[in-house]
Amino acid sequence: LSCLPWSTFTSLIPPFNKEITIPQFVWDKYHIENGRYYVDLMLLVHHGFADGYHISNFFTKLDENIKIFCEEQVLV
């Protein structure tokens, strides 16, 4: 798990050993567009560890949690 808050990326090839089965997450510097916050997230997993179904579930849950967090911030 890492972040690159000083730059943005549209694609990323991490300098890690790609044979490792540990999932790797990297997000970049957020930016604001039309009053909304955006951030890029790179997720690298070994195909023997997870497949598209698991990655899709991860992003669905992440999106749900971000929406809940944003709603709670508005209520406070």
Side-chain angles (χ1 to χ4, degrees), residues 1-45:
L1 179 60
S2 185
C3 68
L4 298 170
W6 51 87
S7 64
T8 60
F9 58 81
T10 56
S11 66
L12 180 67
I13 300 174
F16 309 117
N17 182 351
K18 293 173 183 61
E19 299 300 317
I20 297 175
T21 59
I22 299 170
Q24 300 169 21
F25 302 86
V26 179
W27 67 89
D28 67 358
K29 181 179 180 180
Y30 75 88
H31 62 277
I32 302 172
E33 235 177 77
N34 298 323
R36 297 186 73 177
Y37 290 84
Y38 292 89
V39 66
D40 296 308
L41 173 66
M42 185 277 306
L43 170 59
L44 179 68
V45 295

Side-chain angles (χ1 to χ4, degrees), residues 57-75:
N57 284 345
F58 168 77
F59 281 110
T60 300
K61 289 291 186 182
L62 179 64
D63 188 51
E64 290 171 1
N65 285 314
I66 289 172
K67 287 179 183 176
I68 291 169
F69 175 78
C70 290
E71 290 171 0
E72 289 174 354
Q73 298 304 309
V74 171
L75 296 175

Side-chain angles (χ1 to χ4, degrees), residues 45-61:
V45 295
H46 190 278
H47 65 87
F49 185 69
D51 60 17
Y53 174 77
H54 299 104
I55 295 169
S56 174
N57 284 345
F58 168 77
F59 281 110
T60 300
K61 289 291 186 182

